[in-house]
Amino acid sequence: MSATLFVYLDADWPRQGAVCAWRLTDGRTVHDGTGAPGDWPPADRHVAILSMDQVRHALAALPPGVRWNDAGPLAMAIEEQLAAPLEQQTVVPLRQEGGATWCAVVQTERLKTLIACFGELKRPLARVECEADKLPPPEGGWQVHRAPHGAWLHDGRRGLALDEAEGGEPPLLLRLALAEGPAPAVLRVSGATLELAAAWSEALALPVEPAPPDDWRPHCAKPGVNLLTGELAPRRDWASSPRARLTVGLLAFALLGQLGLDAAGWAAASWRIGQLREQQLAVLRGVSDAPASRRPGQDLRAVWAAARARVGEPGADEFLPMLSALARTLPTRPWRKVEFAEDRLSVDWQGNEEEAARAEARLAASGYESVSRPLAQGQVSTALRFGGEP
């Protein structure tokens, strides 16, 4: 089973330090740790989880007829909400809400930096996800998550990075979010003391409750939206995956098995042909004193034709049998010319190409080789010879 390494990266990684928290999971066992890339355990897949301050959530209203998950129109729809130029941002659709779309916005240069860093480490990134996609949304209210690298708010619809307040006061961005209304029934603050909860409750005029400290690790395996999209999406190396290797192995085994069966079939067919040739040679030795050639079948046909000639029966290569075979084969149409010379019979008759093709097939079934060619005015010329080229 493949192992996946999740690493939690703040906005300063790796510029101001490469140490970060990580979790390794292979579906059965889990290992947690903190360290620089040189201390990370080996893994088959690598997923980077960005702290909330690196990703912004925005709501975009799209015109009718535009798909909600079309990143191009989404980017243009929220261009006025962006602090940096649009071409420097990556916009990723998250989900549809009514007639609008929630999307995540992250700096393209940040994603390129991460891709380059992990590439140099020989640990290519499979996914880049946001911290807000890992922690479950609050139930029945809002929740302020106090992460090591800053606080952020989850109002049940989006994640919002908060500013740092002084003196235990609520962050300004939290006050602005509450002013947009409607206010939640309760506000939970992770890792807050009772004193801090009481101070915030008085300042915000709404119930504030302490919540357990946040830990992203238990929720890291929860599927999130991959921020590596478009040109930044990783190229799939299908040949390196265990499932692909198993598939290739099974196909190779099946191919080898088929080749073995084909070889056995050819060997059996060659053996049968050899046996038939020996039988033909035995029959030929019993009816003729002439030395056998490498084609005993033709020698037997020649002996049979000579025996029929001795009792007055015409051979299949004589005029009357050939004419009879042609008369049974060709459609009942007028004949214009009949010629016979050197075991070759030629007839001009009224017909078309389709009828000529059918006649050639029937003559071939009777042992005759024939060639038909169209003439002018709906006429066809057919030449045939028994057992040879016309």
Side-chain angles (χ1 to χ4, degrees):
M1 184 175 295
S2 61
T4 302
L5 180 67
F6 298 89
V7 292
Y8 182 87
L9 307 178
D10 60 13
D12 296 326
W13 191 95
R15 186 176 62 254
Q16 296 184 6
V19 176
C20 65
W22 55 263
R23 164 166 283 198
L24 179 72
T25 175
D26 61 3
R28 293 174 299 181
T29 59
V30 175
H31 302 280
D32 294 329
T34 301
D39 301 325
W40 294 349
D44 301 301
R45 295 176 68 250
H46 298 81
V47 179
I49 301 175
L50 301 184
S51 58
M52 186 58 224
D53 55 330
Q54 302 176 69
V55 183
R56 177 184 176 187
H57 290 151
L59 187 64
L62 297 176
V66 178
R67 292 185 293 110
W68 71 272
N69 57 352
D70 195 335
L74 276 176
M76 291 186 289
I78 65 170
E79 185 173 7
E80 296 182 355
Q81 306 179 38
L82 302 178
L86 180 60
E87 57 272 13
Q88 299 178 9
Q89 310 289 321
T90 295
V91 180
V92 182
L94 299 178
R95 64 184 180 278
Q96 191 176 18
E97 186 173 298
T101 298
W102 279 106
C103 54
V105 183
V106 62
Q107 291 185 0
T108 304
E109 189 61 31
R110 176 57 173 164
L111 295 178
K112 291 182 178 179
T113 299
L114 295 178
I115 293 174
C117 290
F118 277 78
E120 293 177 358
L121 296 171
K122 306 300 182 184
R123 294 174 177 267
L125 279 174
R127 303 177 63 86
V128 174
E129 300 179 354
C130 178
E131 179 183 14
D133 289 337
K134 295 304 176 184
L135 299 181
E139 298 181 0
W142 293 6
Q143 182 161 347
V144 173
H145 298 274
R146 302 171 70 194
H149 310 290
W152 58 279
L153 168 70
H154 201 314
D155 61 2
R157 303 162 65 198
R158 60 172 177 172
L160 175 65
L162 301 176
D163 55 295
E164 295 184 4
E166 297 181 357
E169 292 293 322
L172 177 59
L173 290 178
L174 175 60
R175 294 176 182 269
L176 294 177
L178 290 171
E180 294 177 358
V186 63
L187 175 66
R188 299 181 179 87
V189 182
S190 63
T193 62
L194 293 176
E195 292 77 8
L196 180 64
W200 280 28
S201 179
E202 182 179 356
L204 300 174
L206 81 161
V208 178
E209 299 177 356
D214 291 329
D215 187 359
W216 61 273
R217 290 184 176 94
H219 310 283
C220 65
K222 174 188 174 184
V225 176
N226 191 1
L227 301 178
L228 297 181
T229 61
E231 297 180 354
L232 301 178
R235 296 181 180 178
R236 293 185 177 180
D237 185 10
W238 65 272
S240 63
S241 65
R243 182 175 296 179
R245 290 195 294 266
L246 176 61
T247 302
V248 171
L250 291 176
L251 289 176
F253 180 78
L255 178 60
L256 291 176
Q258 184 62 46
L259 291 176
L261 291 176
D262 291 344
W266 279 107
S270 299
W271 181 82
R272 294 192 187 98
I273 292 174
Q275 291 292 103
L276 179 60
R277 185 173 180 276
E278 292 296 330
Q279 293 173 5
Q280 290 175 337
L281 287 173
V283 173
L284 183 60
R285 295 189 190 101
V287 298
S288 175
D289 296 332
S293 67
R294 299 182 62 182
R295 296 182 178 180
Q298 292 184 357
D299 295 341
L300 284 174
R301 284 196 292 268
V303 172
W304 173 248
R308 294 186 61 184
R310 286 195 297 269
V311 298
E313 293 186 11
D317 57 348
E318 297 185 14
F319 174 71
L320 289 178
M322 294 175 68
L323 186 64
S324 176
L326 193 61
R328 293 193 305 268
T329 302
L330 295 180
T332 56
R333 304 290 176 83
W335 294 9
R336 292 183 55 186
K337 181 178 67 172
V338 178
E339 293 182 352
F340 181 76
E342 299 180 355
D343 301 332
R344 179 176 179 272
L345 179 65
S346 299
V347 177
D348 294 349
W349 53 283
Q350 184 177 357
N352 52 44
E353 293 184 6
E354 184 178 353
E355 293 172 333
R358 287 199 298 265
E360 287 185 359
R362 293 174 182 172
L363 288 170
S366 300
Y368 291 96
E369 296 287 346
S370 64
V371 174
S372 298
R373 57 185 180 86
L375 303 175
Q377 299 178 352
Q379 295 292 318
V380 176
S381 177
T382 297
L384 71 153
R385 176 175 291 172
F386 183 78
E389 293 294 335

